[in-house]
Amino acid sequence: MTGILLVQGDITRQRADAIVNAANSSLLGGGGVDGAIHRGGGPAILAECRALRASRYGRGLPTGQAVATTAGRLDARWVIHTVGPVFSAEEDRSPLLASCYRASLRVADALGARTVAFPAISTGVYRWPMADAARIALAAARSTDTAVEEVRFVLLDALAYEVFARQIG
Ligand code: APR
């Protein structure tokens, strides 16, 4: 049975088997969580991302998919990079957002990770409204069959935490 936990804080300060990165398809870093994870984890993460680009993901990591690298200096064994969809008012991309959580849990299972820390994927630069993103994230975590024992959502600020707390019911 997977437990779902909400935490307010900086995901790069979390201790977990796997920390999930809200990456972009280039896998070569960015701002937000991506920037914080690369800064905190150090160059070993980017080196493995570059190796992935030179091999399996020559055209980048597609939206909704996930791939693991070392966590470098972070207090975790792996970083699982996933690419969220950019919010669109015209097109329902929620299956792609749900896929980020499902695919990350699938990668976590393949690694044998038992605790996984997620950020609120797509709710920053990719502009997904927090409440809807929380609804999708929690539903995906609850409906995915996984050996992961703890799914921890790490929300940077009180507002995001409150929104997730309201959705968790
Ligand atoms: N810890 C936890 N949450 C964080 C942290 C952190 N250190 N930094 C930012 N966040 C929160 C943001 O407040 C937002 O709610 O993570 C959520 C996701 O925001 P982004 O990091 O902007 O990710 P996303 O919206 O998925 O956009 C991805 O942004 O940084 C670039 O390279 C990245 O192109 C990609 C895009």
Side-chain angles (χ1 to χ4, degrees), residues 24-48:
N24 61 59
S25 58
S26 79
L27 288 177
L28 300 179
V33 173
D34 202 2
I37 282 177
H38 282 281
R39 265 193 315 279
I45 299 176
L46 187 58
E48 286 198 16

Side-chain angles (χ1 to χ4, degrees), residues 69-92:
T69 65
T70 176
R73 294 195 300 262
L74 296 177
D75 199 355
R77 293 181 63 187
W78 302 282
V79 167
I80 295 174
H81 306 263
T82 190
V83 181
V86 175
F87 178 72
S88 162
E90 291 74 40
E91 179 194 345
D92 176 12

Side-chain angles (χ1 to χ4, degrees), residues 86-106:
V86 175
F87 178 72
S88 162
E90 291 74 40
E91 179 194 345
D92 176 12
R93 297 173 178 168
S94 47
L96 278 172
L97 183 55
S99 172
C100 286
Y101 293 95
R102 294 188 201 289
S104 296
L105 289 171
R106 239 189 337 271

Side-chain angles (χ1 to χ4, degrees), residues 85-90 93 120-130 133:
V86 175
F87 178 72
S88 162
E90 291 74 40
R93 297 173 178 168
I121 298 165
S122 287
T123 63
V125 167
Y126 287 175
R127 299 191 338 277
W128 205 289
M130 189 65 74

Side-chain angles (χ1 to χ4, degrees), residues 11 15-20 71 75-80 104 108 111 113-118:
I11 199 166
R15 165 176 300 183
D17 291 339
I19 291 175
V20 176
D75 199 355
R77 293 181 63 187
W78 302 282
V79 167
I80 295 174
S104 296
L111 296 167
R114 288 288 174 269
T115 57
V116 178
F118 282 99

